[in-house]
Amino acid sequence: MHRTPVTGPDRMPAEGDVTRSYTHAGRRLHVAGGSRVGNRYAANFDVLHVDPTLPFLAVADGMGDGRGSTVAGSTTMQTMVAAVQAAGHDIGPGQLRAAMAEAQFRVRTAGAELGELTGCTFTGMVLAPTAAGSAGHGTPAEATPQPAPGAEPPTAGQRSWLRRTPPSARTAPDASDRGDPAAPEPAAWIVQIGDSRAYRLRDGLLELLTVDHTAAWLGAVYGWYPADSPAAAAARYQLTRYVGHPGNPEPDLLSVTLRPGDVYCLCTDGVAEQVDYQRLANRLGASGSPVEVSRAILADTLVAGGRDNATIAVLRVEN
């Protein structure tokens, strides 16, 4: 939906779905994503990326319905994808923060040239390398659709991810309560700015892992107004942090572990606003494939009225 700021790769086809599978640190990772145009806008200002080679998925959501929305989403996604691919096996918080700073600069520069609101939200998840051997870390096991003939070969960063193991883990994950208690669990970084979200379903509990960077979120925390008031509804679309913000705000970074049975969900607010908590939990916990789950959730957004474009990426962790 249309957002207002609080100051102080190419886009996927609108009806496109994508699936990928990877092997990472002994875990089998199945990813699916898709995007749907709602009934409010004639075009899709969301951006989805599920990397064909590296274990990296992300969503972005442009602000407004003008040229600035399109430019911000595509510029941010291209910048983040390039940074992750270049870092390869060495990906970590420093590279992610630097990439977001670069995206901020590029989007603000584009906005100055366009002379209109140019901004977007971004939420991405990238698998962190582990120190426990290199076999199978980040290796794509399946890829659907296949890369087009004549596509560029993997970059040096991508090749290094596939063949090398870093000297030490980039995260400090919790000790595993399954198997060797001293063995670190495989982990991932979530990088987020704005109000696109990351959820995790674990042992039947659906948790919102990210914080919406909105005036409404602050108002709910500090009791500025009742949660169901018109003021709260209006504040839902007042972003305090986003890509393109003149104050160059930093993203939130979160380290999470990957346990068999976990289901992670990245989505734009077109999903979060239209699919309620219980239905989202039920969908993510369903026995169907991740692509069936993502399609069902996207269909739910249209049944709910399709008031906004909706984009989702679902990751399921298996042994």
Side-chain angles (χ1 to χ4, degrees):
M1 292 185 180
H2 186 83
R3 298 176 182 82
T4 57
V6 177
T7 59
D10 297 331
R11 300 193 318 169
M12 285 201 56
E15 300 300 321
D17 295 314
V18 62
T19 64
R20 300 279 189 260
S21 291
Y22 312 93
T23 300
H24 177 80
R27 301 281 193 262
R28 182 85 165 176
L29 310 175
H30 301 284
V31 181
S35 188
R36 300 290 184 271
V37 176
N39 297 321
R40 178 174 180 177
Y41 299 118
N44 194 350
F45 300 98
D46 292 354
V47 189
L48 169 67
H49 181 81
V50 179
D51 203 86
T53 305
L54 303 176
F56 173 54
L57 51 151
V59 299
D61 185 359
M63 299 170 63
D65 57 0
R67 174 67 176 163
S69 180
T70 301
V71 170
S74 60
T75 298
T76 298
M77 190 64 75
Q78 290 165 3
T79 303
M80 297 302 293
V81 169
V84 170
Q85 291 178 345
H89 76 285
D90 199 36
I91 194 67
Q95 291 87 349
L96 292 171
R97 289 192 184 280
M100 182 55 67
E102 178 65 19
Q104 290 275 22
F105 172 77
R106 292 182 180 182
V107 172
R108 286 197 307 273
T109 300
E113 295 175 353
L114 291 171
E116 64 177 78
L117 176 63
T118 304
C120 70
T121 70
F122 179 87
T123 300
M125 181 176 182
V126 59
L127 280 293
T130 70
S134 61
H137 286 202
T139 304
E142 301 171 6
T144 305
Q146 296 293 327
E152 295 184 2
T155 65
Q158 291 171 316
R159 292 194 297 270
S160 66
W161 181 293
L162 299 178
R163 70 172 182 260
R164 290 195 287 179
T165 303
S168 61
R170 294 289 166 178
T171 64
D174 298 333
S176 174
D177 59 3
R178 295 173 171 84
D180 181 2
E185 293 179 321
W189 287 105
I190 292 175
V191 53
Q192 181 253 350
I193 187 167
D195 63 354
S196 291
R197 293 179 170 183
Y199 293 88
R200 179 178 64 197
L201 181 70
R202 174 177 287 177
D203 297 330
L205 174 64
L206 180 64
E207 294 180 276
L208 175 58
L209 300 178
T210 53
V211 171
D212 291 350
H213 299 141
T214 65
W217 190 280
L218 294 176
V221 171
Y222 295 110
W224 294 345
Y225 30 66
D228 59 352
S229 66
R236 176 69 185 84
Y237 304 106
Q238 296 174 5
L239 291 177
T240 57
R241 282 194 253 173
Y242 59 90
V243 186
H245 190 292
N248 194 31
E250 292 183 332
D252 287 342
L253 284 173
L254 177 67
S255 177
V256 295
T257 55
L258 304 175
R259 296 180 182 174
D262 284 354
V263 180
Y264 285 88
C265 169
L266 309 186
C267 64
T268 61
D269 71 328
V271 172
E273 289 257 302
Q274 299 184 97
V275 182
D276 65 40
Y277 171 89
Q278 194 57 58
R279 190 166 190 84
L280 185 60
N282 291 341
R283 290 295 195 194
L284 294 173
S287 59
S289 68
V291 71
E292 291 172 327
V293 170
S294 66
R295 285 173 178 170
I297 294 171
L298 291 172
D300 287 339
T301 68
L302 298 177
V303 172
R307 298 181 303 277
D308 196 3
N309 300 327
T311 300
I312 191 170
V314 175
L315 182 151
R316 180 181 291 162
V317 184
E318 299 178 358
N319 275 321

